[in-house]
Structure formats: structure tokens, C-alpha cells
């Protein structure tokens, strides 16, 4: 039986390493060493989904383009503060040119916690 354990210190260390890289080549080398090609591609797909959400594309259009489930789209949409948009014309968010600004500005106002799997007590709290 496998239990997922969140390595909170290592997550913070990883974020510091990525933030301290000076060039895109450094980030590329880091990704190649610690991620599989599939994980890199999945991250890129998620970024594309966020960009399409920001541009106002519907979930069905995103599904056709990126080949992901509506659940993933809804989860990402909710994480950056869009929530579920039943009617795109009622969307009150502005179309922001740089998706990085959307992600960072939302992240500053909403603290993300690494929750792990429900029902499993993290080692630090045992």
C-alpha cells in the first residue's frame, strides 16, 4: 500500500530553486533533470488551458483543442479565481494580456495549501 507524503520543505526548496534561476536554459535543464517528459507536457497543457480561459474560450472549445476533461478545466479555472462560468457573457474578469499576471495576482490574495490526500494525516502532524 502506497501512502502519498507531502514533502513541504522540499516543495519550498524547489520553488526557491526555480525562482533563483537566471535563464530559461537553467529552467529547461532543471525540468529535464527532475521531471519526466510527460510531466513537462502536462504543465504546458495546463498553462495553455489557463491562457484559453483568460481569452474567454468555452470549456468545450478548450476540451477539443487541448484534449482534457472538463473537470481539469474547471479545477484550473477555479484555482485562478474564475470559478465555473455558465455564461461567458457574465464573466466580470478582464482579459489580461499576460497569464503570469493572472496566476501571480490571484496567488498573492489566496494562500495555497498542500493538503495531500483526504483522510491521511501528514507525518508532521502525527
Amino acid at each position: 500500500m502506497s501512502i502519498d507524503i507531502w514533502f513541504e520543505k522540499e516543495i519550498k526548496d524547489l520553488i526557491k530553486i526555480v525562482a533563483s534561476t537566471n535563464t530559461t536554459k537553467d529552467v529547461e535543464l532543471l525540468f529535464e533533470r527532475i521531471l519526466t517528459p510527460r510531466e513537462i507536457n502536462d504543465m504546458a497543457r495546463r498553462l495553455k488551458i489557463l491562457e484559453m480561459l483568460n481569452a474567454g474560450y468555452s470549456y468545450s472549445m478548450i476540451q477539443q483543442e487541448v484534449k482534457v476533461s472538463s473537470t481539469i478545466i474547471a479545477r484550473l479555472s477555479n484555482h485562478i479565481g474564475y470559478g465555473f462560468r455558465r455564461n461567458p457573457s457574465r464573466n466580470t474578469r478582464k482579459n489580461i494580456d499576460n497569464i503570469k499576471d493572472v496566476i501571480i495576482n490571484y496567488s498573492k490574495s489566496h494562500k495555497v495549501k498542500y493538503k495531500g490526500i483526504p483522510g491521511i494525516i501528514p507525518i508532521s502532524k502525527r
Side-chain angles (χ1 to χ4, degrees), residues 11-29:
I11 291 169
K12 289 177 184 175
D13 291 344
L14 175 62
I15 291 168
K16 286 178 187 173
I17 290 169
V18 172
S20 70
T21 56
N22 295 324
T23 66
T24 55
K25 186 66 176 169
D26 290 342
V27 176
E28 187 178 324
L29 290 170

Side-chain angles (χ1 to χ4, degrees), residues 10-70:
E10 290 77 9
I11 291 169
K12 289 177 184 175
D13 291 344
L14 175 62
I15 291 168
K16 286 178 187 173
I17 290 169
V18 172
S20 70
T21 56
N22 295 324
T23 66
T24 55
K25 186 66 176 169
D26 290 342
V27 176
E28 187 178 324
L29 290 170
L30 177 66
F31 280 9
E32 286 177 0
R33 290 186 177 131
I34 65 172
L35 299 170
T36 65
R38 170 96 186 219
E39 291 167 332
I40 295 169
N41 191 56
D42 286 348
M43 289 172 56
R45 285 173 52 184
R46 287 173 180 248
L47 182 60
K48 180 159 181 79
I49 292 166
L50 293 173
E51 289 170 342
M52 292 179 78
L53 284 167
N54 188 51
Y57 285 86
S58 69
Y59 281 24
S60 60
M61 293 169 76
I62 296 170
Q63 279 181 289
Q64 289 174 355
E65 175 77 21
V66 188
K67 310 291 188 236
V68 294
S69 72
S70 60

